[in-house]
Amino acid sequence: MRPPTRLRLRLRDLGCGAGFGAMAVSGQLPAWTLGVFGLSLLLALLGRRVLGQRTLASALLLLGSAAMLYVQVTREGLDPVVAASAFAALVAAQRLLSTPSPATDGHVHLVGLLMIAGGAALSGDLPFALCLIAFTVLSCLSMGLSAIEAVVPEEERVPVREALGPLSVGVLFAVLGAITFFILFPRVSWNMASRRGSAGLGVATAGFADKVRLGGSGTIKSNPRVVLRAQLTPDPGADTLNAHWLGRTFDTFDGTEWSSVGEPLPPRQVVTLRRGGEGLVHQRLELLPAYGARTLIALETPARLGNGYTVSGADRQRLGLVRVGTSEVRFATDGSGFFYEAYSMPGEAAPVPDAMSIPERDQLLALPMGLDPRVGALAEKVLAGEQDPLRAAHKLEAFLQREYRYTLELGGDVEDPLADFLFGRKEGHCEHFATALTIMLRTQGIAARLATGFYGGERVQDGYIVRAGDAHAWTHVLVPGQGFVTVDPTPPDYRAAQPLAVLEALVTLYERMENLWRAAVVDYSFRDQMQLASALVRPPRERGPEGARGQVPLPPARAWAAALAVGLAVYATWRFATRARQRTRPLDATRFLEAVERRLARAGVRPQPQEPLERLGARLEAEGHPLGPALRPVARRYLEARFGGRPLQEGEAARLLATLAHPPPRKGPPPSPGPRAP
């Protein structure tokens, strides 16, 4: 048996690796699975098939792995889809390290396809799409080269370079055909069977914690990853939102970190923070896996939140909402991504939450023990006797923005970070500005608290996205008769994300591709197919000023383009069929092979099972059969016509068949007795 070409094996192994990557990018596979498959793939690419002679031992290892995964599913709660995907990876690793053979090749390709299915079930995100494309191209090329190897005589060189061009064209047409089938064949949304995967690029981070420690470098401001998507009603229509997205508030400061005295309440499906009035802003929100926290986010100031769920496999799992204190709402359980709705009150002022307790009100004036007396003295000097809470807050806001500089480049922790900011460095990030304003107001008897969340929002299609770098902190001032009013002392130019330009461009490109992939593939359904067909052929109808139907206009340009494309496709099909009918029968390589087999059958020559034409010729020549020498050029010409891109010319097939009817006489000594052609 001919040894397989090195290129074909590497294409096969890399295609299997792409199938494994489709699962691995979800971030849900056990870590040991990554190590086992990665090592197996490396050994396979180096040509070390260490399990070639250890079939029984490797089968026992697979059996033991299956038992271990079963125990983890039944006793430890491992997701069955994750367990099945991990076992598929182990089977693939065992096949990669086995001796190459046609059966092994089939197993590798099959288990690679199963891993692609596992990846689709685990996430289906954009990295999965890249792995899917890589698997398709690599596996198709490998299988094409395998088919060519099977028909080339062992003593001849396999035309790998010559075949790669036609094979690549074939793969391209196969992909285009698959895309056409995907668009036209009735289907349901992929979201019915996929789930949210990992956080994507890097670890999940939203900057939320039960406490906020004053200090640090504020590196989250340079993180450009998208953590939230929102659709607003009414739609503001602006390219950029100058809005605060509230996550939680803090009322207790001990000199170095903020915390809250609020306690969690029992879970509910809908949480009402305050009684809303007219003109509430409705939001449909999605917290992406990159968010990495359970705190719900809503536009300032949230009034009601509910309808929360996460997607797990084909199911939407509804989640309870837990209210913590006066302002924070959390999901009751963890999830890789969340969906929910929220209603917010417009404007910067909002009434005091209905459930604010007396201890929480008292904490709005609490000062840390050992507070530097210079903080109160500075606030008193700046306010110059101003007692109105809102005017006092704006006075201090202007002072901080004018006299202090924003920076993310801070040193290590200091004993008194607030005093260090106000009287030492005189520079800091949003947490320093918001803390300074809040504590300075409290020193003058004005109730205030620290608020954290995000600031900004970028327009993408019909909604807005918020990035991790948009994480922000500001101050809530309690104004009698108005409630909590938002006052943000951070300089306006530094409130939103501040990523590096190159990194922001790359992540923005990735997010746009991710949105396109989800809209065009993952969320594509039968409804989208109907809308596409309707948009192509149905022109808009106009109405007169009184609502009467006006004249039907001509079809839109897209309808003409669709009709032109269909016409060209019909014409191309007709031309192809016409040329196919005009071709003479011998010019078809497959029909030529059938004619050769019939001629050999009349001569009493029967090929062995699965014996290609060129090997039959070599065997006949070795046996001294008179058709042996004549069959070799016939077999070579058939391979050129079938795989080499050199079709048979008019009359050439007839001449080659004639050589089989009248083979040339052999030169040299008479052959040994054997079957003779009539």
Side-chain angles (χ1 to χ4, degrees), residues 399-472:
F399 169 75
L400 291 171
Q401 293 179 358
R402 181 178 65 252
E403 300 295 333
Y404 294 84
R405 191 174 71 89
Y406 185 92
T407 183
L408 297 175
E409 300 176 359
L410 299 176
D413 294 337
V414 295
E415 182 178 354
D416 189 343
L418 178 58
D420 184 61
F421 168 71
L422 289 174
F423 310 109
R425 293 191 313 267
K426 294 190 176 183
E427 59 181 12
H429 48 70
C430 59
E431 292 174 359
H432 295 88
F433 282 87
T435 298
L437 175 59
T438 305
I439 299 303
M440 290 173 77
L441 286 171
R442 290 185 178 186
T443 62
Q444 305 305 304
I446 299 174
R449 66 185 183 186
L450 184 79
T452 59
F454 298 91
Y455 179 86
E458 303 172 30
R459 184 81 177 189
V460 174
Q461 297 177 351
D462 58 346
Y464 291 89
I465 62 172
V466 175
R467 302 181 183 277
D470 293 324
H472 191 50

XYZ file of all heavy atoms in Angstrom, residues 399-472:
585
model
N -14.882 73.114 41.101
C -13.568 73.254 41.736
C -12.687 72.040 41.439
O -11.505 72.190 41.083
C -13.759 73.424 43.241
C -12.500 73.314 44.032
C -11.566 74.346 44.048
C -12.222 72.160 44.768
C -10.383 74.227 44.782
C -11.046 72.039 45.484
C -10.124 73.075 45.494
N -13.214 70.848 41.595
C -12.418 69.642 41.358
C -11.989 69.538 39.894
O -10.849 69.159 39.604
C -13.215 68.413 41.775
C -13.473 68.244 43.280
C -14.457 67.103 43.528
C -12.154 67.991 44.017
N -12.874 69.844 38.981
C -12.523 69.766 37.571
C -11.478 70.816 37.182
O -10.680 70.592 36.260
C -13.773 69.919 36.706
C -14.759 68.764 36.839
C -15.999 68.971 35.991
O -16.142 69.999 35.332
N -16.903 68.003 36.028
N -11.486 71.948 37.895
C -10.561 73.038 37.564
C -9.185 72.849 38.199
O -8.158 73.121 37.571
C -11.168 74.367 38.034
C -10.303 75.584 37.710
C -10.974 76.868 38.158
N -11.125 76.949 39.619
C -12.280 76.827 40.268
N -13.396 76.623 39.599
N -12.304 76.925 41.592
N -9.133 72.337 39.421
C -7.886 72.319 40.168
C -7.173 70.972 40.168
O -6.008 70.907 40.568
C -8.156 72.724 41.626
C -8.760 74.109 41.786
C -7.793 75.194 41.313
O -6.563 74.961 41.360
O -8.263 76.273 40.910
N -7.818 69.923 39.689
C -7.218 68.591 39.768
C -7.152 67.962 38.373
O -8.000 68.239 37.515
C -8.015 67.703 40.731
C -7.932 68.198 42.160
C -8.791 69.202 42.624
C -6.972 67.689 43.034
C -8.696 69.671 43.924
C -6.884 68.146 44.341
C -7.742 69.140 44.776
O -7.643 69.604 46.066
N -6.163 67.116 38.195
C -5.906 66.520 36.879
C -6.300 65.046 36.868
O -6.099 64.336 37.857
C -4.418 66.658 36.528
C -4.075 66.328 35.088
C -2.615 66.645 34.813
N -1.729 65.694 35.476
C -1.317 64.544 34.915
N -1.705 64.215 33.698
N -0.520 63.749 35.583
N -6.850 64.629 35.746
C -7.238 63.217 35.590
C -6.046 62.406 35.101
O -5.335 62.818 34.182
C -8.383 63.097 34.585
C -8.929 61.682 34.448
C -9.997 61.260 35.214
C -8.353 60.771 33.571
C -10.497 59.970 35.103
C -8.834 59.477 33.462
C -9.902 59.086 34.221
O -10.387 57.812 34.116
N -5.829 61.249 35.705
C -4.758 60.360 35.275
C -5.099 58.920 35.659
O -5.830 58.674 36.633
C -3.410 60.754 35.908
O -2.385 59.889 35.379
C -3.446 60.604 37.411
N -4.576 57.983 34.877
C -4.681 56.557 35.191
C -3.365 56.001 35.701
O -3.310 54.840 36.112
C -5.113 55.773 33.945
C -6.495 56.109 33.376
C -6.729 55.342 32.081
C -7.580 55.779 34.386
N -2.318 56.817 35.653
C -0.982 56.358 36.037
C -0.721 56.738 37.492
O -0.185 57.802 37.795
C 0.063 56.985 35.119
C -0.144 56.613 33.641
C 0.837 57.324 32.739
O 1.660 58.110 33.257
O 0.777 57.094 31.515
N -1.138 55.857 38.386
C -0.967 56.094 39.815
C -0.018 55.070 40.400
O 0.163 53.979 39.862
C -2.325 56.015 40.527
C -3.374 57.035 40.069
C -4.678 56.783 40.778
C -2.893 58.452 40.323
N 0.575 55.447 41.534
C 1.484 54.539 42.215
C 0.731 53.510 43.039
O -0.451 53.238 42.838
N 1.409 52.941 44.019
C 0.797 51.933 44.871
C -0.159 52.543 45.892
O -0.445 53.745 45.889
N -0.652 51.675 46.789
C -1.593 52.125 47.814
C -0.907 53.061 48.802
O 0.285 52.932 49.099
C -2.178 50.918 48.557
C -3.046 50.062 47.653
O -3.540 50.599 46.639
O -3.211 48.857 47.945
N -1.684 54.004 49.316
C -1.198 54.937 50.334
C -2.114 54.822 51.545
O -3.228 54.297 51.465
C -1.171 56.387 49.812
C -0.162 56.528 48.686
C -2.560 56.807 49.321
N -1.683 55.343 52.681
C -2.434 55.189 53.926
C -3.751 55.951 53.870
O -4.786 55.463 54.331
C -1.577 55.663 55.106
C -2.264 55.504 56.456
C -1.372 55.937 57.594
O -0.186 56.259 57.339
O -1.848 55.953 58.748
N -3.741 57.140 53.323
C -4.953 57.968 53.235
C -5.107 58.416 51.787
O -4.640 59.486 51.389
C -4.849 59.174 54.170
C -6.162 59.949 54.293
O -7.035 59.753 53.420
O -6.308 60.734 55.239
N -5.753 57.620 50.924
C -5.820 57.956 49.499
C -6.591 59.237 49.214
O -6.261 59.947 48.251
C -6.514 56.733 48.887
C -7.237 56.078 50.010
C -6.417 56.337 51.225
N -7.611 59.565 50.035
C -8.372 60.791 49.770
C -7.520 62.025 50.040
O -7.474 62.958 49.222
C -9.637 60.806 50.627
C -10.510 62.053 50.498
C -10.948 62.255 49.053
C -11.724 61.955 51.420
N -6.851 62.052 51.181
C -5.981 63.201 51.489
C -4.832 63.289 50.493
O -4.414 64.396 50.105
C -5.456 63.080 52.920
N -4.320 62.134 50.071
C -3.232 62.140 49.093
C -3.700 62.746 47.774
O -2.953 63.477 47.100
C -2.743 60.710 48.881
C -1.557 60.650 47.957
O -0.506 61.236 48.285
O -1.682 60.026 46.871
N -4.953 62.453 47.386
C -5.493 63.016 46.146
C -5.721 64.520 46.265
O -5.365 65.296 45.370
C -6.806 62.306 45.788
C -7.595 62.982 44.705
C -7.170 62.969 43.388
C -8.786 63.652 45.010
C -7.903 63.603 42.386
C -9.526 64.289 44.015
C -9.073 64.259 42.695
N -6.315 64.958 47.398
C -6.681 66.371 47.537
C -5.493 67.276 47.840
O -5.446 68.423 47.360
C -7.731 66.526 48.643
C -9.136 65.997 48.329
C -10.025 66.081 49.560
C -9.750 66.767 47.165
N -4.511 66.776 48.597
C -3.449 67.659 49.068
C -2.046 67.204 48.651
O -1.082 67.924 48.913
C -3.502 67.762 50.603
C -4.869 68.085 51.116
C -5.620 67.131 51.792
C -5.414 69.349 50.913
C -6.890 67.422 52.269
C -6.686 69.652 51.397
C -7.434 68.680 52.063
N -1.943 66.033 48.037
C -0.635 65.537 47.623
C -0.487 65.550 46.108
O -0.066 66.546 45.508
N -0.836 64.429 45.482
C -0.661 64.315 44.030
C -1.533 65.296 43.256
O -1.155 65.783 42.195
C -1.006 62.885 43.569
C -0.071 61.827 44.061
C -0.365 60.524 43.313
N -1.794 60.210 43.260
C -2.424 59.445 44.141
N -1.741 58.931 45.151
N -3.719 59.200 44.027
N -2.756 65.503 43.748
C -3.753 66.325 43.059
C -4.054 65.809 41.661
O -4.299 66.568 40.725
C -3.310 67.794 43.001
C -3.242 68.460 44.366
C -3.044 69.966 44.254
C -3.090 70.604 45.635
N -2.976 72.090 45.579
N -4.073 64.500 41.526
C -4.461 63.852 40.283
C -4.957 62.442 40.605
O -4.528 61.817 41.582
C -3.290 63.801 39.291
C -2.074 63.068 39.807
C -0.929 63.071 38.789
O -1.006 63.817 37.799
O 0.031 62.312 39.006
N -5.893 61.958 39.811
C -6.472 60.639 40.042
C -7.493 60.323 38.975
O -7.680 61.080 38.018
N -8.198 59.202 39.155
C -9.227 58.846 38.178
C -10.605 59.047 38.786
O -10.748 59.677 39.842
C -9.020 57.419 37.666
C -8.782 56.399 38.725
N -9.754 55.990 39.608
C -7.658 55.690 39.050
C -9.272 55.074 40.417
N -7.987 54.870 40.121
N -11.640 58.524 38.122
C -13.021 58.876 38.474
C -13.358 58.529 39.918
O -14.132 59.259 40.570
C -13.993 58.196 37.520
S -13.903 56.375 37.496
N -12.837 57.437 40.458
C -13.151 57.074 41.838
C -12.628 58.120 42.826
O -13.268 58.396 43.849
C -12.574 55.705 42.160
C -13.251 54.562 41.399
C -12.563 53.230 41.629
O -11.552 53.217 42.365
O -13.023 52.226 41.080
N -11.473 58.711 42.527
C -10.939 59.755 43.403
C -11.812 61.010 43.341
O -12.122 61.617 44.377
C -9.504 60.104 42.996
C -8.531 58.986 43.190
N -8.287 58.037 42.232
C -7.718 58.663 44.243
C -7.383 57.182 42.670
N -7.018 57.535 43.887
N -12.200 61.418 42.122
C -13.034 62.622 41.992
C -14.380 62.424 42.682
O -14.842 63.304 43.422
C -13.238 62.934 40.505
C -12.068 63.604 39.850
C -11.031 62.861 39.302
C -11.989 64.982 39.781
C -9.952 63.467 38.698
C -10.908 65.620 39.163
C -9.882 64.858 38.626
N -15.037 61.262 42.434
C -16.356 61.032 43.017
C -16.279 60.901 44.541
O -17.148 61.415 45.272
C -16.971 59.774 42.404
N -15.243 60.240 45.045
C -15.089 60.113 46.497
C -14.850 61.474 47.143
O -15.425 61.793 48.199
C -13.929 59.164 46.824
O -14.218 57.868 46.295
C -13.696 59.062 48.316
N -14.017 62.280 46.521
C -13.739 63.608 47.073
C -15.006 64.441 47.145
O -15.289 65.085 48.180
C -12.690 64.310 46.209
N -15.820 64.433 46.086
C -17.045 65.226 46.106
C -18.015 64.706 47.165
O -18.607 65.490 47.922
C -17.698 65.189 44.721
C -19.056 65.876 44.611
C -18.957 67.351 44.991
C -19.630 65.727 43.201
N -18.164 63.396 47.247
C -19.120 62.817 48.191
C -18.744 63.143 49.637
O -19.585 63.580 50.447
C -19.205 61.293 47.991
O -19.531 61.007 46.632
C -20.231 60.673 48.911
N -17.488 62.944 50.003
C -17.058 63.178 51.386
C -17.030 64.666 51.713
O -17.397 65.081 52.826
C -15.675 62.517 51.620
C -15.773 61.007 51.405
C -15.178 62.834 53.025
C -16.799 60.319 52.285
N -16.642 65.505 50.771
C -16.639 66.947 51.028
C -18.057 67.451 51.262
O -18.280 68.321 52.117
C -15.987 67.682 49.853
C -14.477 67.435 49.750
S -13.741 68.126 48.247
C -13.668 69.865 48.683
N -19.047 66.903 50.521
C -20.436 67.295 50.774
C -20.875 66.843 52.167
O -21.566 67.594 52.893
C -21.344 66.685 49.705
C -21.275 67.325 48.316
C -22.049 66.480 47.307
C -21.835 68.745 48.343
N -20.504 65.645 52.551
C -20.905 65.138 53.857
C -20.314 65.965 54.989
O -20.940 66.128 56.053
C -20.490 63.675 54.003
C -21.288 62.709 53.122
C -20.904 61.268 53.404
N -21.688 60.319 52.599
C -21.618 58.987 52.736
N -20.799 58.451 53.650
N -22.354 58.212 51.983
N -19.113 66.479 54.806
C -18.517 67.304 55.869
C -19.326 68.584 56.104
O -19.234 69.186 57.186
C -17.067 67.690 55.525
O -17.057 68.467 54.324
C -16.204 66.459 55.366
N -20.132 68.980 55.125
C -20.947 70.186 55.253
C -22.408 69.845 55.540
O -23.295 70.689 55.376
C -20.847 71.019 53.971
C -19.434 71.368 53.581
C -18.683 72.065 54.703
O -19.138 73.110 55.210
N -17.551 71.511 55.124
N -22.665 68.578 55.945
C -24.020 68.181 56.322
C -24.939 67.909 55.148
O -26.167 67.934 55.319
N -24.404 67.657 53.980
C -25.211 67.387 52.782
C -25.115 65.894 52.470
O -24.017 65.351 52.310
C -24.721 68.218 51.581
C -24.842 69.709 51.909
C -25.500 67.859 50.326
C -24.253 70.626 50.837
N -26.258 65.206 52.402
C -26.286 63.756 52.180
C -25.870 63.436 50.740
O -26.343 64.064 49.790
C -27.691 63.209 52.457
N -25.006 62.442 50.602
C -24.524 62.040 49.275
C -24.020 60.598 49.343
O -23.751 60.063 50.436
C -23.419 62.978 48.799
N -23.896 59.961 48.205
C -23.380 58.590 48.117
C -22.621 58.419 46.819
O -22.753 59.222 45.883
C -24.518 57.574 48.199
C -25.465 57.615 47.008
C -26.646 56.677 47.200
N -27.519 56.666 46.020
C -28.680 56.018 45.952
N -29.125 55.344 47.013
N -29.418 56.063 44.853
N -21.814 57.357 46.750
C -21.027 57.050 45.553
C -21.835 56.120 44.649
O -22.429 55.144 45.119
C -19.715 56.381 45.953
C -18.739 56.094 44.799
C -17.997 57.355 44.416
C -17.743 54.997 45.206
N -21.866 56.412 43.362
C -22.550 55.571 42.376
C -21.522 55.032 41.387
O -20.560 55.723 41.018
C -23.616 56.370 41.630
N -21.713 53.780 40.976
C -20.809 53.161 40.013
C -21.612 52.506 38.900
O -22.743 52.056 39.106
C -19.917 52.093 40.680
O -20.747 51.083 41.266
C -19.026 52.709 41.740
N -21.016 52.435 37.749
C -21.653 51.837 36.580
C -20.827 52.121 35.354
O -19.612 51.886 35.329
N -21.469 52.672 34.317
C -20.784 52.992 33.060
C -21.243 54.356 32.577
O -22.298 54.859 32.987
C -21.097 51.938 31.989
C -20.637 50.550 32.341
C -21.481 49.679 33.016
C -19.368 50.119 32.001
C -21.065 48.400 33.345
C -18.942 48.850 32.323
C -19.795 47.990 33.000
N -20.446 54.924 31.681
C -20.812 56.214 31.095
C -20.619 56.134 29.585
O -19.582 55.666 29.091
C -19.945 57.351 31.653
C -20.288 58.699 31.055
C -21.311 59.460 31.598
C -19.621 59.174 29.934
C -21.656 60.693 31.040
C -19.956 60.403 29.372
C -20.976 61.150 29.920
O -21.321 62.352 29.358
N -21.627 56.611 28.850
C -21.498 56.683 27.396
C -22.393 55.692 26.685
O -23.464 55.320 27.166
N -21.942 55.243 25.519
C -22.699 54.333 24.676
C -22.482 54.684 23.217
O -22.628 55.852 22.828
N -22.118 53.692 22.397
C -21.870 53.917 20.974
C -22.989 53.290 20.152
O -23.452 52.193 20.442
C -20.534 53.290 20.555
C -19.346 53.787 21.338
C -18.100 52.992 21.016
O -18.000 52.508 19.867
O -17.250 52.828 21.896
N -23.400 54.007 19.114
C -24.453 53.525 18.237
C -23.933 52.391 17.365
O -22.909 52.524 16.694
C -24.943 54.661 17.345
C -26.115 54.283 16.444
C -27.402 54.336 17.201
N -28.564 54.062 16.366
C -29.813 54.226 16.776
N -30.047 54.661 18.005
N -30.826 53.939 15.998
N -24.638 51.257 17.360
C -24.353 50.135 16.473
C -25.694 49.624 15.952
O -26.512 49.127 16.722
C -23.597 49.001 17.205
C -23.450 47.792 16.291
C -22.232 49.483 17.668
N -25.913 49.793 14.636
C -27.168 49.417 14.003
C -28.324 50.124 14.703
O -28.363 51.342 14.760
C -27.310 47.899 13.989
C -26.224 47.207 13.173
C -26.327 45.699 13.210
O -27.093 45.120 13.955
N -25.538 45.048 12.369
N -29.265 49.374 15.279
C -30.436 50.013 15.891
C -30.344 50.063 17.413
O -31.350 50.250 18.091
C -31.715 49.272 15.494
C -31.680 47.806 15.906
O -30.579 47.320 16.247
O -32.743 47.161 15.889
N -29.157 49.900 17.947
C -28.984 49.923 19.399
C -27.678 50.574 19.799
O -27.024 51.258 19.002
N -27.290 50.357 21.061
C -26.069 50.945 21.606
C -25.253 49.861 22.312
O -25.801 48.884 22.825
C -26.410 52.065 22.601
C -27.020 53.280 21.945
C -28.396 53.372 21.765
C -26.219 54.305 21.475
C -28.964 54.478 21.151
C -26.773 55.423 20.859
C -28.150 55.502 20.691
O -28.698 56.595 20.073
N -23.939 50.049 22.290
C -23.036 49.162 22.999
C -22.280 49.957 24.059
O -22.048 51.157 23.903
C -22.036 48.463 22.059
C -21.146 49.494 21.355
C -22.752 47.587 21.052
C -19.999 48.884 20.564
N -21.937 49.275 25.136
C -21.143 49.864 26.211
C -19.920 48.982 26.415
O -20.040 47.746 26.439
C -21.954 49.975 27.512
C -21.078 50.473 28.654
C -23.139 50.908 27.311
N -18.753 49.583 26.544
C -17.505 48.847 26.670
C -17.066 48.762 28.139
O -17.502 49.556 28.981
C -16.405 49.501 25.839
C -16.750 49.622 24.361
C -15.615 50.261 23.579
N -15.981 50.440 22.172
C -15.881 49.488 21.248
N -15.405 48.303 21.575
N -16.236 49.719 19.993
N -16.173 47.808 28.401
C -15.646 47.670 29.758
C -14.920 48.947 30.184
O -14.965 49.335 31.358
C -14.711 46.468 29.837
N -14.252 49.601 29.231
C -13.542 50.836 29.544
C -14.446 51.996 29.881
O -13.973 53.047 30.335
N -15.763 51.853 29.650
C -16.712 52.897 30.021
C -17.081 52.850 31.497
O -17.925 53.634 31.955
C -17.990 52.778 29.184
C -17.757 53.078 27.706
O -16.926 53.961 27.422
O -18.382 52.432 26.847
N -16.487 51.911 32.259
C -16.764 51.829 33.702
C -16.464 53.178 34.359
O -15.452 53.827 34.058
C -15.919 50.724 34.333
N -17.327 53.589 35.274
C -17.231 54.960 35.775
C -17.801 55.035 37.185
O -18.531 54.141 37.633
C -18.000 55.896 34.832
C -17.768 57.344 35.075
N -16.512 57.895 35.194
C -18.649 58.380 35.235
C -16.614 59.193 35.392
N -17.897 59.510 35.431
